Amino acid sequence: MSKDKPTITMESLASLCKRRGFIFQSSEIYGGINGFWDYGPLGVELKRNIKESWWRAMVRDREDIVGLDASIIMHPRIWEASGHVQGFADPMVDCKKCKGRWRADQLPETKCPQGGPHEYTEARQFNLMFKTNVGPVEEASAVAYLRPETAQGIFAQFNNVLAVSRQKIPFGIAQIGKAFRNEINPRNYTFRSREFEQMELEFFVKPGTDAEWHEYWVKERMKWYQTIGLPEGHLHRYVYPKEELAHYASACVDVMYDFPFGTQELEGIAARGDYDLRRHQEFSGKSMEYFDDETKEKFLPHVVEPSAGVDRIALALLCEAYTEEWVPTAEAAGGEVLAAEPGKQPPQGYEPRVVMRFAPRIAPVKVAVFPLLKNKPELVAKSREVFEMLRKRWPAFWDQAGAIGRRYRRQDEIGTPYGITIDFDTLQDNTVTLRDRDTMKQVRVAIPELPSKLAETLG
Ligand code: ATP
């Protein structure tokens, strides 16, 4: 993690995610299954906000990109054409004693649990695609794969989309969907999973314009990450040197984020030339060429591919948002907020709080509404009225249980940007207390003005 924020532990983040319903272990009641995760009520909202923000930026706000939703299981020849059947493999080694299995380039630092050092086998190729069978008879001809990336569905439908969308090059096809990889060693919480979601764009360009479009997309994508709340200072670019590029690629840049476990990839942006369309043309026997009306030329378009992982972005946002601090016990009285010191107790008059500082547009719940006291029917009724008004526009939450300070803390922990309290003054003058999650400042706002006030940050 960068210097301006204390390092958080993945254990404390995972514990909050479970406690508050962001992320659960898949199949937990059966002991879990390695590399698979479930998103709880808040996690699913967070992921939807990420996907909606991406879709808006990539498809809805543009005239030159259209969407697609291809099937997860496709014709097995697709994966022969793409090179995944042959090449989508990591060399892996096993320990003969403890039966552990690792990627050859990611060997563990720990000793063998059976005692002494691990006893490794020779490295062997391990295909990362999940195999399945289509149809009732388990025979070789019915073998199919769960897609390891969404991109190939786009290439396979290139002609159909081009015909119906009346797009002209340069233009793009975008897709969001599940992908599956039988990763040898899932780890770092959800970072490397076996089932995950991708958001991919294939942007088709005229040969020779690859470099400028690649540069354009790197810039666009870096900007987008900042709009969802990942600051520039925690983002990095890894520019692939020539010798690390795939043989068909002319450029590749990874967008990296400073996770607590190291600086790691969120997205890869590659200029892939005409490799994919050429291979599908070869394997399917169908022309993938584009006819340029103006120049009367026929050519195979080149492609620039920004390919991002929803789960990794969700994890980055959770890491970025998670903050432990010491705040004045009587917060409404004001006072300085202190950074929590790990392992220590807060000073007199302070208490610890965990706050998820999500950017408002990405926060799962935008506003919480509370009656000051739950046994006063007039306050409860008025608070329901305000809640019903606001929930039409934003995901809102209503809570009457416990002391008001405790209710604020519960919302801080899930990153709700605003809290609204209905008290006895409300019944007199129709104003409420509006509390800001980050500064904890409270202001009085007239009820009719609430929507426009909230819209300033929530949109
Ligand atoms: P890595 O080197 O980390 O295995 P990759 O370079 O193979 O990733 P790509 O094939 O470029 O990944 O996939 C594009 C994006 O899909 C990645 O940037 C990442 O966000 C996401 N992704 C890939 N593999 C996984 C995974 N196992 N779990 C979660 N997300 C993943």
Side-chain angles (χ1 to χ4, degrees):
M1 214 73 199
S2 58
K3 287 180 209 71
D4 57 338
K5 198 167 170 239
T7 307
I8 64 167
T9 65
M10 292 310 287
E11 289 72 29
S12 47
L13 179 67
S15 143
L16 176 125
C17 284
K18 175 162 186 212
R19 190 168 75 244
R20 300 315 310 273
F22 284 97
I23 300 172
F24 306 126
Q25 205 183 3
S26 165
S27 325
E28 193 191 277
I29 56 167
Y30 292 101
I33 170 167
N34 195 9
F36 298 89
W37 299 93
D38 293 346
Y39 288 81
L42 294 176
V44 66
E45 293 289 340
L46 180 67
K47 267 178 76 173
R48 283 180 81 103
N49 291 345
I50 296 167
K51 289 186 276 185
E52 269 161 30
S53 168
W54 188 90
W55 195 258
R56 179 163 293 285
M58 304 300 263
V59 183
R60 294 259 166 90
D61 284 354
R62 304 183 61 112
E63 285 183 273
D64 57 354
I65 300 179
V66 293
L68 180 73
D69 188 9
S71 62
I72 287 172
I73 292 176
M74 294 182 277
H75 197 290
R77 290 276 285 168
I78 290 206
W79 307 110
E80 287 170 33
S82 70
H84 284 84
V85 171
Q86 274 295 311
F88 193 54
D90 278 334
M92 57 149 219
V93 296
D94 295 329
C95 170
K96 290 180 198 155
K97 289 192 292 183
C98 70
K99 311 290 177 218
R101 173 172 287 179
W102 300 272
R103 252 163 75 163
D105 61 341
Q106 293 176 354
L107 294 178
E109 283 159 19
T110 49
K111 288 224 156 67
C112 180
Q114 300 295 326
H118 289 285
E119 230 175 84
Y120 296 123
T121 58
E122 290 287 301
R124 279 172 300 181
Q125 294 302 108
F126 176 75
N127 196 295
L128 298 184
M129 280 199 295
F130 280 101
K131 252 190 209 165
T132 187
N133 286 80
V134 174
V137 189
E138 267 198 41
E139 56 187 27
S141 62
V143 161
Y145 303 94
L146 301 192
R147 66 183 177 197
E149 61 174 39
T150 64
Q152 295 305 322
I154 297 180
F155 295 122
Q157 289 294 1
F158 174 75
N159 283 337
N160 277 336
V161 177
L162 182 63
V164 298
S165 64
R166 305 178 64 221
Q167 290 283 348
K168 289 195 178 356
I169 271 174
F171 82 99
I173 306 175
Q175 173 162 229
I176 300 178
K178 289 267 187 177
F180 303 81
R181 295 183 190 179
N182 199 0
E183 296 279 359
I184 295 160
N185 206 358
R187 68 208 166 112
N188 289 330
Y189 201 20
T190 57
F191 180 83
R192 186 173 300 288
S193 309
R194 289 180 166 141
E195 173 174 343
F196 53 97
E197 259 181 305
Q198 289 186 316
M199 305 188 289
E200 296 195 295
L201 166 69
E202 303 304 324
F203 198 76
F204 299 97
V205 304
K206 209 169 171 169
T209 62
D210 316 42
E212 64 195 76
W213 278 111
H214 184 255
E215 201 176 306
Y216 168 86
W217 279 111
V218 172
K219 282 199 191 126
E220 282 297 298
R221 299 300 304 138
M222 293 300 286
K223 274 194 266 170
W224 179 79
Y225 282 102
Q226 291 167 56
T227 68
I228 59 166
L230 296 180
E232 201 176 2
H234 297 179
L235 292 167
H236 307 276
R237 298 168 190 208
Y238 177 73
V239 181
Y240 282 61
K242 267 224 149 50
E243 60 277 12
E244 279 182 30
L245 288 174
H247 66 92
Y248 46 79
S250 59
C252 188
V253 170
D254 282 349
V255 180
M256 319 275 285
Y257 173 74
D258 291 327
F259 285 99
F261 44 84
T263 300
Q264 300 275 350
E265 173 182 338
L266 293 178
E267 168 163 354
I269 305 163
R272 298 173 61 86
D274 64 8
Y275 176 78
D276 304 274
L277 288 182
R278 184 175 293 284
R279 293 277 292 188
H280 285 300
Q281 178 167 278
E282 213 175 291
F283 278 68
S284 69
K286 306 272 176 346
S287 169
M288 293 283 168
E289 282 186 328
Y290 174 85
F291 178 71
D292 189 324
D293 290 337
E294 278 162 35
T295 60
K296 308 289 174 214
E297 283 175 285
K298 253 181 151 187
F299 58 88
L300 272 176
H302 284 199
V303 76
V304 175
E305 176 193 82
S307 166
V310 182
D311 310 77
R312 285 191 186 175
I313 296 170
L315 185 59
L317 289 170
L318 287 163
C319 291
E320 185 65 38
Y322 185 91
T323 316
E324 289 177 5
E325 43 187 47
W326 291 338
V327 296
T329 309
E331 66 164 60
E336 203 188 342
V337 172
L338 309 173
E341 293 175 43
K344 293 202 182 150
Q345 289 300 314
Q348 188 85 40
Y350 277 81
E351 63 184 28
R353 84 159 174 167
V354 171
V355 54
M356 295 299 278
R357 293 183 184 272
F358 290 122
R361 62 184 296 196
I362 229 72
V365 179
K366 311 291 187 202
V367 57
V369 183
F370 318 114
L372 182 64
L373 300 169
K374 74 171 181 186
N375 53 4
K376 295 283 175 211
E378 330 73 283
L379 295 184
V380 171
K382 192 75 189 165
S383 70
R384 291 295 305 178
E385 215 179 275
V386 172
F387 170 65
E388 291 297 342
M389 170 180 85
L390 295 175
R391 73 188 290 209
K392 289 199 183 78
R393 185 145 170 204
W394 295 289
F397 187 80
W398 182 83
D399 184 11
Q400 62 171 354
I404 195 74
R406 291 263 307 282
R407 281 181 268 169
Y408 285 147
R409 287 287 173 278
R410 283 206 290 266
Q411 295 304 312
D412 290 343
E413 264 200 348
I414 65 167
T416 307
Y418 294 108
I420 289 171
T421 303
I422 279 68
D423 56 20
F424 293 105
D425 286 346
T426 311
L427 304 177
Q428 303 301 321
D429 62 7
N430 212 30
T431 65
V432 295
T433 300
L434 178 66
R435 173 190 182 265
D436 180 286
R437 172 197 72 197
D438 295 341
T439 62
M440 298 183 299
K441 290 230 165 71
Q442 302 189 357
V443 290
R444 294 297 291 190
V445 178
I447 290 173
E449 281 161 28
L450 272 175
S452 58
K453 176 86 185 151
L454 294 178
E456 284 169 19
T457 42
L458 298 180

